[in-house]
Amino acid sequence: MTLRSLFEHKADGFFIDIGAHHPIFYSNTYHFYQKGWRGINIDAQPGAMDIFNCLRPEDINIEACIAEKSGVNVDFYEFDAPTLNTIDGEMAEEVMGRGHRLVKKHKLKTINISDCLSDYNLMDRTIDLLNIDIEGVDQVVLQTIDFSTIRPRVIAFEDHHFDIFDLQQSSSLQFLKSKGYEFYGKTGPTIIMRLIETN
């Protein structure tokens, strides 16, 4: 609802959803797709884009492992609850410690967000919403964005250790503030930052 309020009167727009998981369930972008927006859905889980191509055929659906650097071989941990899938080893141990079953461990090659967008000739697109939900790697990926070329109007990302009563303690929030963003709100572990409009 918080994201919807930011774009309440915008009938069309463009989003990037990294760690998209599912085209409908737990999706921060499905509402906007229904309104007429279009965008890019990216997820690392092998085969994840099959259902996106079926249910979100007007989007660009990319199976890719977004990380800090391109061309790095990593372990991708696939769990019985796919929303918990991650390439972060510490996060994977934490998830297993909470009783979730590791279904499979895949070897994947990473690509950073700039290289991914360049591959699809999308570097010049105006981005209304950038949504990042990649279990433990959100903040690392944020730090790799070239904000001189990629400048979303709104950024949503997860930080499970964020304290709303101490905004100074979030390095990602402070980083985004230095790039011209302001804190807008928090829903669950998701932090929402909005680009400060300048004349």
Side-chain angles (χ1 to χ4, degrees):
M1 294 299 293
T2 306
L3 283 173
R4 295 181 191 185
S5 69
L6 280 165
F7 299 108
E8 185 176 0
H9 302 294
K10 188 170 178 58
D12 60 358
F14 188 78
F15 57 79
I16 299 176
D17 194 349
I18 302 174
H21 169 60
H22 191 279
I24 299 175
F25 302 119
Y26 306 110
S27 173
N28 283 340
T29 58
Y30 181 58
H31 165 78
F32 299 109
Y33 183 82
Q34 287 184 303
K35 282 186 68 173
W37 290 38
R38 296 298 178 258
I40 307 168
N41 302 300
I42 306 172
D43 200 276
Q45 181 169 341
M49 289 301 112
D50 293 345
I51 193 168
F52 277 89
N53 290 331
C54 179
L55 299 179
R56 303 266 289 266
E58 296 182 44
D59 282 342
I60 298 168
N61 302 310
I62 303 170
E63 185 179 304
C65 184
I66 302 295
E68 180 181 9
K69 297 178 181 178
S70 295
V72 178
N73 293 313
V74 296
D75 290 324
F76 177 80
Y77 299 85
E78 180 182 349
F79 287 100
D80 52 359
T83 54
L84 301 174
N85 293 347
T86 183
I87 61 170
D88 184 309
E90 289 186 10
M91 178 69 77
E93 291 293 334
E94 182 181 319
V95 169
M96 287 185 282
R98 299 202 305 263
H100 287 281
R101 181 173 58 87
L102 179 65
V103 174
K104 191 172 183 180
K105 188 162 69 171
H106 306 266
K107 283 290 186 184
L108 301 180
K109 184 166 285 189
T110 62
I111 185 168
N112 70 32
I113 185 61
S114 294
D115 288 343
C116 184
L117 295 181
S118 293
D119 286 350
Y120 286 84
N121 298 314
L122 294 166
M123 287 296 288
D124 296 327
R125 287 297 302 261
T126 298
I127 303 166
D128 294 291
L129 170 63
L130 170 62
N131 186 73
I132 305 176
D133 182 1
I134 43 179
E135 300 306 310
V137 196
D138 300 45
Q139 296 170 72
V140 173
V141 168
L142 277 175
Q143 302 277 342
T144 69
I145 294 173
D146 180 357
F147 283 92
S148 66
T149 56
I150 303 172
R151 202 154 182 80
R153 288 179 58 201
V154 173
I155 298 175
F157 66 97
E158 285 196 348
D159 183 344
H160 292 270
H161 306 291
F162 178 78
D163 181 357
I164 198 167
F165 298 107
D166 185 7
L167 300 183
Q168 299 300 317
Q169 59 87 37
S170 171
S171 59
S172 294
L173 189 146
Q174 296 306 315
F175 171 73
L176 288 174
K177 285 178 68 175
S178 75
K179 300 299 181 181
Y181 289 82
E182 63 182 355
F183 176 75
Y184 183 79
K186 181 178 185 290
T187 175
T190 301
I191 299 170
I192 300 167
M193 303 289 290
R194 177 174 61 179
L195 185 64
I196 299 171
E197 300 294 341
T198 56
N199 296 323

